[in-house]
Amino acid sequence: MRRYLSLYGYFLTLRIKTLLSYRLDFVIGAVASAVMQTSTFLALFFILRQTGTMEGWTLPELQLLYGSLILSLALNQMFADNLWSMTHLVRSGKFDTFLTRPVHPLFHLLAERFNHVGIGDFVCGSILVALAAPSLPFVFAGWRMLYWMLSVLAGGGIFFSLNLLCSVSAFWLLDSVTITRVVFDNHQFAKYPLTIFPYLLYGLLTFLLPYGLAAFHPIAWLLGKPGALPALLPLVCALALTSVSIVLWCRALPRYTSAGS
Amino acid sequence: MTGFMRNLRSGLAFIPFVWRAQLAYSYSVWINLVIETLGLVLVYYFWRAVYVGHTTIQGYPESTAVSLMVWARIFAVLLTNSNGLEYVGLSYFGRLVRDGELATELLRPVDLQWVSFTKSLGRLAFELVLRIPLILIATVVFDVALPTHPLSWLQFLSSAFLGYTIIYLFDWTLSCLAFVTTATWGLNMIRWGVAAFLGGTLIPVSWLPPALAAVALHSPFGQALAVPLSLLLDGVANPPWSWIVLEQLGWIVVYTIVSRYVYGQAQKVVTIAGG
């Protein structure tokens, strides 16, 4: 474990040094994603300014939900973005590299590429939550803060495990981007209270593509909103899903046949 | 005149190839359709939720706002050059410079800007055809109002064409940044975020504070989407069609001059990689 942590630190330092060799690109990349999120949230802000609430959710509450989801997304973006490269790596035969090193292939795949774009999302999400906190109907501290932090981590785990499960398809179909895109795009629904959608979508986003567990259910539970699952369920599900996805990925690994020459 | 005709012929000749290239990966066409349909579902239910407990907001009844935002989602393709193959935009220019293809393009005896424009129009026509299933879903499943008067469609299509020309010229100007920086991905993302907001895909432009709404409506993004959409729907405040077209033509003249000038200057500083 200690060896892997030290290796990760080495990979991270190397990646940041590489990124910083083009400082302007680094800054623009980090800011870009935050601009995208901010524009969507600004629209929500102007809408709520007219309506006051949306299905019983006030602006600070929606802000907490939106910010929490962005933070989970940012964690996945920063530390597991290389999963999007699986198609390219498998098709080009470059995935061979990961199999010839004396570390676990999945660890190497994830550690190889820290995505700085997630920094913008992380900062954006943190600002949204920090600005919402004083206006929430409870004191955002103590066990609530701890539960929220765990739920953000769990959310990151859900994003990671769904992307990991989709990336497995690259071993059979030589393409995982297509299916990952279709699955990943569903996280847009989870930026809003799931109760605004029909039951079918609520169920789909809770049990099948559980992006709802990444933010809606824990935040709704914290706020005492209808539709929330019991507090620990999202955390347990995230842990289980992450473990299952890692096991499945490792089981699927022998299916890889090199395409390179 | 001969040069113009040659450019026109060359540009039009490319359109069938553009369609074939778009269809080369048919699964991506279907995947995009699935993603767009999901987006449509999200927009529909989100806006229905906004109106819970309200009959009108900013003078818009629920049906008008829902229709406007659903149409904005469907026609958001008017704002972008990034779905499928690109013929303008930061990513496209970045690739031309990075791979050295720009040198080949500049050697051809045709005007690159014009040829790219016709290719881009071909791509837009393809994307609009792909929107037909979405229009059917919107009208049949979500019961979103579809304008029946042919004049509304004619006015919309003419304004959309002019708006697309404006955004093409704007993108051409912006793309020249790819000649001096490699941060094209980030800049493209920023452009997308601003386009979605000012173009009216996230919120009706008239719901914004007056100063911001004015900026949005006169920006290339507003001219490309929010303004044409206002002609499509009853009950959405807009100036007369003739005035809109006149303003759009004015912007086209301005952006043509600016884009030609910036492109000319950028060519002087570009360092083409590859070989």
Side-chain angles (χ1 to χ4, degrees):
Chain A
M1 186 68 181
R2 191 176 293 171
R3 175 170 164 258
Y4 274 89
L5 277 176
S6 127
L7 264 177
Y8 196 88
Y10 178 74
F11 274 114
L12 190 62
T13 313
L14 202 65
R15 175 74 180 154
I16 289 184
K17 275 184 187 167
T18 312
L19 287 169
L20 285 177
S21 57
Y22 295 98
R23 280 172 200 273
L24 183 64
D25 291 14
F26 180 84
V27 173
I28 291 175
V31 168
S33 194
V35 170
M36 285 287 286
Q37 303 296 356
T38 308
S39 69
T40 310
F41 183 75
L42 262 183
L44 194 62
F45 170 79
F46 286 121
I47 292 166
L48 267 284
R49 216 176 56 152
Q50 309 284 341
T51 61
T53 59
M54 188 168 75
E55 287 246 332
W57 288 64
T58 62
L59 183 64
E61 290 168 348
L62 285 170
Q63 205 170 319
L64 178 67
L65 172 65
Y66 194 97
S68 304
L69 190 85
I70 300 301
L71 282 169
S72 296
L73 175 71
L75 289 177
N76 177 63
Q77 214 168 15
M78 283 190 287
F79 301 110
D81 201 60
N82 216 16
L83 291 174
W84 287 92
S85 315
M86 279 290 286
T87 300
H88 166 70
L89 294 169
V90 169
R91 281 186 182 172
S92 64
K94 287 180 183 167
F95 192 76
D96 289 3
T97 321
F98 299 101
L99 303 174
T100 55
R101 304 277 162 82
V103 283
H104 193 280
L106 182 57
F107 167 81
H108 190 187
L109 178 71
L110 298 176
E112 192 195 41
R113 188 166 176 270
F114 169 83
N115 189 355
H116 65 298
V117 169
I119 296 175
D121 276 343
F122 193 83
V123 172
C124 184
S126 306
I127 291 173
L128 284 177
V129 173
L131 291 176
S135 313
L136 292 172
F138 53 75
V139 181
F140 197 44
W143 68 266
R144 285 194 176 93
M145 174 70 95
L146 182 68
Y147 176 74
W148 172 78
M149 285 165 77
L150 285 174
S151 75
V152 167
L153 280 177
I158 284 168
F159 272 101
F160 165 69
S161 46
L162 288 176
N163 277 10
L164 189 63
L165 284 173
C166 293
S167 75
V168 167
S169 63
F171 296 137
W172 278 275
L173 308 171
L174 302 182
D175 175 30
S176 60
V177 171
T178 311
I179 189 164
T180 310
R181 267 188 70 201
V182 174
V183 170
F184 181 75
D185 254 48
N186 285 285
H187 86 271
Q188 304 286 353
F189 289 95
K191 288 177 178 172
Y192 310 103
L194 292 192
T195 43
I196 70 171
F197 302 114
Y199 288 124
L200 181 69
L201 268 176
Y202 173 93
L204 183 83
L205 293 162
T206 302
F207 303 109
L208 194 64
L209 304 172
Y211 288 116
L213 299 178
F216 168 74
H217 286 290
I219 301 301
W221 182 82
L222 271 176
L223 294 165
K225 298 285 181 191
L229 291 176
L232 289 179
L233 204 59
L235 309 185
V236 173
C237 286
L239 193 63
L241 191 62
T242 307
S243 312
V244 168
S245 64
I246 291 173
V247 170
L248 282 178
W249 195 91
C250 294
R251 289 267 174 93
L253 190 58
R255 292 279 173 178
Y256 169 69
T257 47
S258 177
S261 57
Chain B
M1 194 63 190
T2 319
F4 175 75
M5 289 309 289
R6 188 177 60 209
N7 281 328
L8 183 66
R9 271 199 306 273
S10 322
L12 294 176
F14 276 114
I15 291 179
F17 294 107
V18 170
W19 278 58
R20 275 185 222 164
Q22 296 278 355
L23 281 168
Y25 297 100
S26 57
Y27 71 90
S28 69
V29 170
W30 292 109
I31 292 302
N32 277 330
L33 189 62
V34 171
I35 290 172
E36 288 300 325
T37 308
L38 285 173
L40 208 60
V41 172
L42 174 63
V43 167
Y44 177 76
Y45 284 107
F46 174 81
W47 283 93
R48 290 276 307 271
V50 166
Y51 270 83
V52 171
H54 301 271
T55 45
T56 56
I57 302 172
Q58 286 271 321
Y60 285 21
E62 181 181 341
S63 57
T64 305
V66 171
S67 299
L68 179 64
M69 297 318 293
V70 165
W71 293 126
R73 174 75 200 197
I74 291 174
F75 290 113
V77 65
L78 291 167
L79 280 177
T80 172
N81 287 289
S82 297
N83 262 345
L85 296 175
E86 296 173 61
Y87 303 102
V88 68
L90 283 151
S91 309
Y92 173 64
F93 270 39
R95 184 167 56 80
L96 286 183
V97 174
R98 203 168 44 248
D99 297 348
E101 285 176 41
L102 185 64
T104 321
E105 293 293 344
L106 292 175
L107 284 173
R108 294 187 206 279
V110 286
D111 185 291
L112 179 60
Q113 191 181 25
W114 169 255
V115 171
S116 292
F117 179 59
T118 49
K119 282 182 182 175
S120 203
L121 276 181
R123 187 201 64 84
L124 175 67
F126 181 84
E127 293 282 349
L128 288 176
V129 170
L130 289 185
R131 291 315 188 257
I132 292 172
L134 295 176
I135 294 172
L136 287 174
I137 292 170
T139 49
V140 177
V141 181
F142 296 139
D143 202 22
V144 168
L146 187 71
T148 48
H149 203 289
L151 189 64
S152 300
W153 281 104
L154 272 177
Q155 290 184 339
F156 166 72
L157 288 173
S158 57
S159 175
F161 171 73
L162 295 176
Y164 190 75
T165 309
I166 293 171
I167 209 155
Y168 173 84
L169 293 166
F170 171 80
D171 273 341
W172 188 272
T173 313
L174 189 70
S175 301
C176 291
L177 281 173
F179 292 1
V180 289
T181 173
T182 55
T184 51
W185 183 89
L187 289 170
N188 210 26
M189 287 283 281
I190 293 172
R191 178 230 179 258
W192 262 64
V194 175
F197 187 75
L198 297 182
T201 63
L202 301 172
I203 180 173
V205 170
S206 56
W207 287 28
L208 298 173
L212 197 52
V215 170
L217 282 175
H218 298 290
S219 72
F221 310 114
Q223 292 288 316
L225 186 64
V227 169
L229 274 180
S230 70
L231 292 164
L232 194 61
L233 293 167
D234 294 332
V236 178
N238 58 275
W241 171 76
S242 51
W243 178 249
I244 287 174
V245 167
L246 208 60
E247 183 182 343
Q248 288 183 314
L249 287 171
W251 281 118
I252 288 174
V253 172
V254 170
Y255 280 113
T256 302
I257 295 167
V258 172
S259 68
R260 302 294 288 196
Y261 175 76
V262 172
Y263 180 55
Q265 293 299 310
Q267 279 183 65
K268 292 177 188 168
V269 297
V270 67
T271 306
I272 298 169

